[in-house]
Amino acid sequence: MNSYQGEDILTPLHRPSPHAGEGGMLIGAATPLHAEGEDILATPPARRVIGQQMAAWIVFHVRQILVVLLAVLCIISCMVLGWVLIEFVKHEKEPCDVSLSLYVKVWVVLWVVGVWKREVHKCLVRWNPNDGPPPLRVQIMDMIHIGIVHIWVVVGIYLIASSRTCAATNPKLFLAVKWWVHLQAIVLLISSLAIVASRTLVFWLRRHTALAIGVRPYSSIVDNMTEIKFSPANPELLDEKGEIEHCAVCQEAFDDKLRIVRTPCHHIFHEKCLAEWCVRNPICPLCRRNLLAPGNGGGVRDPIV
């Protein structure tokens, strides 16, 4: 079986069909994308899903940019923290009119709790991530940790601003802590703005494109298809030679490991493969029939917002 994996929704209206479809069309005959001849882009479900895909693409890339930016800031933060610890070890005993030593010690504790959060959860609140979603006590603990981090950044800014003599009596430790405090303030500010901007973007896209974050736009198409139970003796899964058929998308033989479904045009695929195919092409990989069209089980599940 041949598949047209990788082609997008804007393909020409005719493709050679590797198999006979409904209506007795011969192998190799030119088959229209839709038996009814309608334009796939003109159907309301298709336009809606295209909007969902564009919105999901925007959200994905915006989040990727934010993740990269925050990752760079975290790397810089680790380097500056190492600088702070080195200066702390060397100049802890030197005089300073503000408690920079205590400030650095608390930061080390907060950093350790943040890095080894899983172990802290296991020890203090008796929770393992493998147990399922975090319970309320874990969420409260994480909120307290985040709150203390924000408060401690403000405390650092206050200590640096209120110091009168530390810059002269302990200049190296003062300079390292000053850089650390300002960097953490920038990281927290960018993180907060990123969260607000990301959620605002998702909210706007949901309202204007019916975007359902985390929900497959074509899930209802595949989920509503007829399931084929695997059996070596099932005639639907056997070719003319009596051998097990292959999925036209992944080219793997059918077995009992993956769920098998039959499209309304009587073609058989792995459910997972067909769902991934439909993310880009809401058409049958073999006969090119529009799976969104009425009567084909089409229509997109209302998004769960």
Side-chain angles (χ1 to χ4, degrees):
M1 294 184 182
N2 294 325
S3 66
Y4 298 99
Q5 191 170 11
E7 297 179 1
D8 57 36
I9 202 170
L10 298 175
T11 52
L13 291 179
H14 294 82
R15 291 292 184 197
S17 176
H19 284 267
E22 290 185 348
M25 302 193 76
L26 299 177
I27 295 177
T31 306
L33 281 177
H34 325 298
E36 297 80 2
E38 77 276 11
D39 182 3
I40 189 173
L41 296 180
T43 59
R47 290 198 302 268
R48 179 183 177 188
V49 172
I50 291 172
Q52 290 180 341
Q53 290 177 301
M54 293 178 62
W57 184 89
I58 293 173
V59 172
F60 173 79
H61 285 83
V62 168
R63 287 180 173 174
Q64 289 292 98
I65 293 173
L66 294 176
V67 168
V68 171
L69 177 60
L70 292 176
V72 172
L73 290 175
C74 287
I75 293 174
I76 297 175
S77 297
C78 292
M79 296 173 62
V80 175
L81 180 60
W83 176 31
V84 171
L85 294 178
I86 292 174
E87 299 301 336
F88 172 77
V89 172
K90 292 181 177 180
H91 307 286
E92 179 186 5
K93 302 301 182 180
E94 295 182 11
C96 183
D97 60 340
V98 291
S99 303
L100 292 186
S101 297
L102 176 61
Y103 183 78
V104 173
K105 292 176 182 178
V106 174
W107 256 119
V108 171
V109 173
L110 293 174
W111 184 80
V112 170
V113 171
V115 172
W116 285 280
K117 184 179 293 185
R118 176 175 296 187
E119 286 69 20
V120 173
H121 287 159
K122 292 179 182 179
C123 296
L124 298 183
V125 293
R126 306 291 183 181
W127 177 74
N128 191 313
N130 297 327
D131 297 337
L136 181 60
R137 65 180 184 276
V138 176
Q139 298 179 30
I140 293 176
M141 179 180 175
D142 290 342
M143 291 176 62
I144 292 175
H145 177 260
I146 294 174
I148 294 176
V149 169
H150 283 74
I151 293 173
W152 211 240
V153 170
V154 176
V155 170
I157 295 175
Y158 171 77
L159 292 177
I160 295 299
S162 61
S163 175
R164 295 292 181 267
T165 62
C166 192
T169 59
N170 197 347
K172 293 186 177 181
L173 179 59
F174 181 84
L175 180 61
V177 173
K178 182 178 179 180
W179 272 87
W180 169 256
V181 170
H182 290 158
L183 181 60
Q184 292 309 299
I186 294 173
V187 170
L188 293 179
L189 179 61
I190 293 178
S191 300
S192 301
L193 292 177
I195 292 174
V196 173
S198 177
R199 293 189 176 182
T200 302
L201 176 62
V202 170
F203 177 77
W204 184 88
L205 291 173
R206 280 175 173 171
R207 292 195 60 182
H208 290 78
T209 65
L211 173 65
I213 300 299
V215 178
R216 292 178 300 168
Y218 296 96
S219 59
S220 62
I221 299 178
V222 178
D223 292 344
N224 294 333
M225 289 182 181
T226 303
E227 180 179 3
I228 305 297
K229 297 296 183 181
F230 176 80
S231 172
N234 188 340
E236 287 191 86
L237 300 178
L238 301 179
D239 59 16
E240 296 178 353
K241 298 180 180 180
E243 299 178 351
I244 299 295
E245 288 272 16
H246 289 66
C247 173
V249 177
C250 69
Q251 299 297 316
E252 296 291 335
F254 293 115
D255 53 31
D256 56 355
K257 296 180 180 179
L258 295 176
R259 188 170 181 260
I260 306 169
V261 295
R262 182 177 62 231
T263 65
C265 48
H266 302 286
H267 293 121
I268 300 174
F269 307 92
H270 288 130
E271 180 191 41
K272 178 177 179 292
C273 297
L274 186 59
E276 293 176 353
W277 169 278
C278 285
V279 169
R280 293 193 61 187
N281 300 307
I283 52 181
C284 175
L286 291 177
C287 69
R288 322 304 291 172
R289 175 167 299 208
N290 177 14
L291 298 178
L292 289 173
N296 286 345
V300 182
R301 177 178 297 168
D302 289 335
I304 302 173
V305 180

